[in-house]
Amino acid sequence: MTKAIIGIIGGSGVYDLPGLDNLREEQMTTPWGEPSDALRFGTLAGRDAVFLPRHGRGHKLSPSGINYRANIAALKQAGVTDLVSVSACGSYRAELYPGFFVLVDQFVDRTHGRESSFFGNGCVAHVSMAHPVAPLLQRRISEAAKAEDIAHKLNGTYLCMEGPQFSSYAESMTYRAAGYDVVGMTAMPEAKLAREAEISYATIAMVTDFDCWHADHEIVDVAAVIKVVHENAGRAAALIARLIRDFPEEHETCPVGSDRALDNALITAPAARDPAFVEKLRVIGGRVLGA
Ligand SMILES: CSC[C@H]1O[C@H](OP(=O)(O)O)[C@H](O)[C@@H]1O
Ligand SMILES: Nc1ncnc2[nH]cnc12
C-alpha cells in the first residue's frame, strides 16, 4: 500500500494553509535547485499535509520565474502522492463568475521558455498528457466542494499564457471563441512536471475576473484578482480542509495512470543513458530507472 500524502500548492493570494497544525518548515534542496519557499509540513484534521506557496511568501516570484521543477521535485521528495493546485484565473464564460470554482480537466499550454521537463538529452522520456488531471482526486475535490456548499463546475479547459502581462482583447476573444473556459499563468508546466514525477494532480481554478472581453465588467487588474481571492479564501480553505479530512489513507490507483506515468515513457536505451543525469533523475523517476 502507498500512503496517500496530500500536497497543496497555493497561488496568488494564497500564501498559507489555515488549519495546518503541528507546523514544521523545511527549506528543501533538489537536483533542480530550491523551491519557491520552505515546504510547510503539518497535520490537518489529524492527516499529514504539505503546503507550498508557488510565488513564495510575499509573492516574490513571477509566473515565468517560478522554478516549477524544484517545486515538484521537493513535493515528490516529501512523499506527496496527490497534489492539489489552487489558482486564480480569468473566465471566458459569463456563467463562470468571480468566486466560482472550476475543477479543470484540461490545459492548453501557451507558455514559452519555461523549463517544462525533468528529462532531456541523456535520458529522454515522453509521458502522456492526454488526461492531465487525476479523475479520482478531482472527484474528491468536487465532493468536498459539495459538502461545503461551494458553487463549482467539474471539468473545463485552462489556457495557460506566459504573462506576466494580462491578455489583449484580441487574445481574450480568440481563446473565448476557441471554447476555453479559464485563463491563468501557472498551471503549466506544473501539471506536466507532476505527471513526469508520477504525482496525481488536480487544479482548483478560482475565477477572479472576466479578463478583458466582457463589456459589462472592468478589465482585469491585480487589485481585482486579489480582492476576489481574499473574499473567497475562507471557502477555499474549508474545501481543502474537508478534502484532507475525508481523503483515503491509501493512495487510490489513478485510472488514467498519473501515478505510473513513466511505465512506458522512457525511450533512451539503458546503455545510452548519461549516468550522471540518471542519478539526478532518481528523485522523481527512481521507480523505473533501475539500480
Ligand atoms: C495576481 S494576477 C495574475 C497571477 O494570478 C494567477 O496566479 P496563480 O495561478 O498562482 O493563482 C495567474 O496565474 C498569475 O500568476
Ligand atoms: N485574467 C487573467 N489572465 C491571466 N491570469 C489570471 N489570473 C487571474 N486572472 C487572470
Side-chain angles (χ1 to χ4, degrees):
M1 114 154 201
T2 306
K3 185 184 173 197
I5 300 184
I6 299 193
I8 308 290
I9 293 183
S12 291
V14 181
Y15 309 111
D16 60 17
L17 186 57
L20 198 59
D21 297 326
N22 307 309
L23 261 184
R24 175 175 69 82
E25 289 196 11
E26 190 173 336
Q27 188 60 61
M28 313 273 287
T29 53
T30 80
W32 293 272
E34 299 213 339
S36 300
D37 208 317
L39 258 52
R40 274 170 255 174
F41 295 84
T43 54
L44 212 156
R47 302 293 307 277
D48 290 336
V50 188
F51 177 78
L52 174 66
R54 70 160 68 81
H55 299 279
R57 266 171 280 206
H59 204 118
K60 59 183 191 295
L61 299 171
S62 94
S64 317
I66 292 169
N67 188 339
Y68 295 94
R69 292 193 297 190
N71 284 357
I72 296 296
L75 290 162
K76 181 76 180 179
Q77 284 174 202
V80 168
T81 54
D82 295 83
L83 180 57
V84 179
S85 98
V86 180
S87 283
C89 65
S91 162
Y92 290 134
R93 295 184 189 275
E95 66 272 23
L96 306 179
Y97 51 84
F100 197 88
F101 289 19
V102 185
L103 309 184
V104 297
D105 66 332
Q106 284 293 330
F107 303 99
V108 172
D109 191 355
R110 293 297 311 268
T111 67
H112 46 84
R114 300 184 186 184
E115 296 289 356
S116 61
S117 178
F118 290 107
F119 296 89
N121 293 351
C123 190
V124 179
H126 304 279
V127 297
S128 169
M129 288 300 293
H131 302 291
V133 163
L136 299 183
L137 179 58
Q138 184 208 38
R139 193 188 308 158
R140 288 195 176 274
I141 297 170
S142 176
E143 279 161 10
K146 272 187 220 149
E148 293 296 331
D149 215 11
I150 292 172
H152 70 285
K153 172 183 178 307
L154 211 55
N155 300 335
T157 299
Y158 173 124
L159 183 283
C160 192
M161 60 184 292
E162 181 59 40
Q165 302 85 0
F166 290 113
S167 304
S168 69
Y169 180 72
E171 287 167 335
S172 204
M173 293 304 275
T174 302
Y175 296 143
R176 183 169 137 72
Y180 306 149
D181 296 283
V182 294
V183 55
M185 304 178 190
T186 60
M188 287 289 172
E190 202 172 81
K192 289 178 173 171
L193 294 164
R195 179 56 53 90
E196 287 187 347
E198 302 190 317
I199 299 175
S200 295
Y201 181 87
T203 295
I204 303 171
M206 183 198 291
V207 173
T208 52
D209 57 88
F210 286 108
D211 201 39
C212 62
W213 63 270
H214 201 310
D216 302 334
H217 288 267
E218 296 292 326
I219 292 171
V220 60
D221 64 16
V222 167
V225 170
I226 296 303
K227 179 171 181 286
V228 176
V229 172
H230 284 167
E231 284 166 359
N232 291 283
R235 296 189 317 135
L239 191 171
I240 290 164
R242 171 80 67 157
L243 173 75
I244 294 173
R245 198 195 73 188
D246 293 348
F247 212 69
E249 298 270 348
E250 189 175 344
H251 168 74
E252 297 172 296
T253 302
C254 179
V256 301
S258 59
D259 43 15
R260 50 193 185 284
L262 295 174
D263 270 358
N264 297 306
L266 294 176
I267 190 163
T268 309
R273 292 178 191 163
D274 172 347
F277 189 41
V278 167
E279 282 314 304
K280 182 174 176 179
L281 287 168
R282 279 197 196 286
V283 166
I284 59 112
R287 194 182 69 80
V288 295
L289 285 167

